[in-house]
């Protein structure tokens, strides 16, 4: 049974990945400072899987504590989700983002080298690409992020490339996520952002349960199918499974990889809202608002490298994503806080 440290394991993608790891014989150990999550989420994973799940309230910037945890559990791999992820917030608070995302990853890598933990899976993002030069984005598309959040992800990618070149680490998987939505089909875990949601889907779901009056649609005059922004939404369970496949690959074919994780299809804001209305049976009132500065009209992934290197491809469609998002939101209208 392979022990895997999962940083940020109480968060949205982290909890779903712990479920998939446990289902496939891995033993995750969670570290989280709960800045954007709740310990209740980990209890839900334990209940859902009927497995033990050791966890520590710790910050990835505490190198000594992370080294101790890696050594104590003989971790062979780290999946690194911990970090801050809100684009708008990163413009307002760049130093916090560089601290959590860049200094945090530096600290974690230092701890891994000290503890002799060799395998690293990193949560990168499609935001590293920036304004599209061509679509779909392939992994070779120029990297030119348009906001501090994306800059922190690119900085970590560059740090990892230098570390690989130095020979200090070779088994590194950089996973560039597109737009994960949805939830585990049980409805027991899902995305529960603190404060006002920054992402579209949790906002839509909170409107559907009556926590917010209406959805603001930022721009309806883009050069897209219906004028609203287009993104490549993928089911969080599909995304979680890619992490298990990345770990499997290290045993089969050691060495670094960088892959896009998306479906390869874009959906507009209005298409997503209509699909969610269909799944939930609720109306989503809309306000059309001006474009937000820095927003990109449309982008989606070329996910073919994930298929050839990991054997991964997205299985779920938009209707599945909306059904499972609604299962989570309707069973947990106030997220984990009411538990
Ligand atoms: N959700 C997305 O749309 C998306 C897209 C691309 C990339 N990503 C990246 O994937 C990762 C996971 O995203 P998520 O959606 O699950 O976010 P999330 O906020 O739900 O999870 C991140 C977790 O990390 C924890 N955390 C933050 N800073 C920490 C620190 N210094 N030490 C320890 N724990 C810390 C938070 O409490 C939270 O539980 C992030 O790195 C994010 O940037 C997310």
């Amino acid at each position: 049974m392979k022990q895997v440290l999962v940083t940020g394991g109480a968060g949205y993608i982290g909890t779903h990945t712990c479920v998939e790891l446990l289902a496939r014989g891995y033993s995750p150990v969670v570290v989280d400072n709960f800045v954007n999550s709740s310990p209740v989420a980990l209890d839900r994973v334990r209940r859902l899987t009927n497995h033990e799940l050791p966890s520590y309230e710790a910050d990835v910037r505490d190198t000594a504590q992370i080294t101790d945890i890696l050594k104590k559990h003989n971790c062979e791999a780290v999946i690194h989700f911990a970090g801050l992820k809100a684009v708008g917030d990163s413009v307002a608070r760049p130093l916090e983002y560089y601290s959590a995302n860049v200094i945090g990853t530096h600290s974690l890598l230092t701890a891994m080298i000290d503890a002799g933990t060799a395998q690293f899976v990193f949560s990168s993002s499609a935001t590293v690409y920036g304004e599209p030069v061509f679509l779909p984005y392939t992994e070779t598309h120029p990297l030119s992020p348009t906001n501090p959040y994306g800059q922190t992800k690119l900085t970590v990618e560059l740090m990892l490339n230098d570390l690989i070149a130095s020979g200090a680490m070779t088994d590194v998987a950089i996973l560039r996520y597109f737009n994960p939505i949805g939830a585990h089909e049980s409805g027991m875990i899902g995305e529960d952002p603190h404060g006002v949601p920054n992402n579209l889907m949790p906002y839509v779901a909170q409107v559907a349960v009556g926590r917010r009056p209406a959805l603001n649609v930022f721009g309806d005059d883009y050069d897209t199918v219906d004028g609203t922004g287009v993104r490549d939404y993928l089911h969080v369970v599909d995304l979680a499974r890619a992490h298990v496949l990345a770990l499997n690959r290290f045993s089969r074919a050691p060495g670094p990889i960088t892959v896009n994780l998306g479906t390869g299809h874009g959906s507009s804001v209005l298409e997503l809202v209509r699909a969610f209305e269909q799944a939930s049976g609720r109306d989503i009132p809309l306000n059309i608002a001006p474009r937000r500065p820095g927003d990109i009209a449309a982008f989606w992934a070329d996910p073919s490298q994930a298929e050839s290197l990991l054997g991964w491809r997205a299985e779920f469609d938009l209707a599945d994503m909306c059904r499972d998002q609604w299962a989570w939101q309707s069973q947990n209208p106030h997220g984990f806080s009411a538990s």
Side-chain angles (χ1 to χ4, degrees), residues 37 62 79 96 98 106 199 207 235 264 305 312 320 329:
S37 57
D62 186 339
I79 304 180
E96 281 84 348
Y98 278 88
H106 180 277
N199 291 337
V207 172
H235 198 297
Q305 191 142 296
W312 179 89
D320 300 324
Q329 195 71 61

Side-chain angles (χ1 to χ4, degrees), residues 7-14 31-37 58-61 80-85 100-101 104 123-126 149 153 177-180 191 199:
T7 75
Y12 174 45
I13 308 170
V31 161
D32 204 299
N33 68 359
F34 301 115
V35 69
N36 195 37
S37 57
D59 194 298
V60 287
R61 288 164 290 195
H80 180 35
F81 295 111
L84 302 178
K85 64 164 182 176
N101 296 1
S123 301
S124 191
S125 162
Y149 167 70
K153 291 293 178 188
Y177 312 157
F178 281 67
N179 292 71
E191 185 168 16
N199 291 337

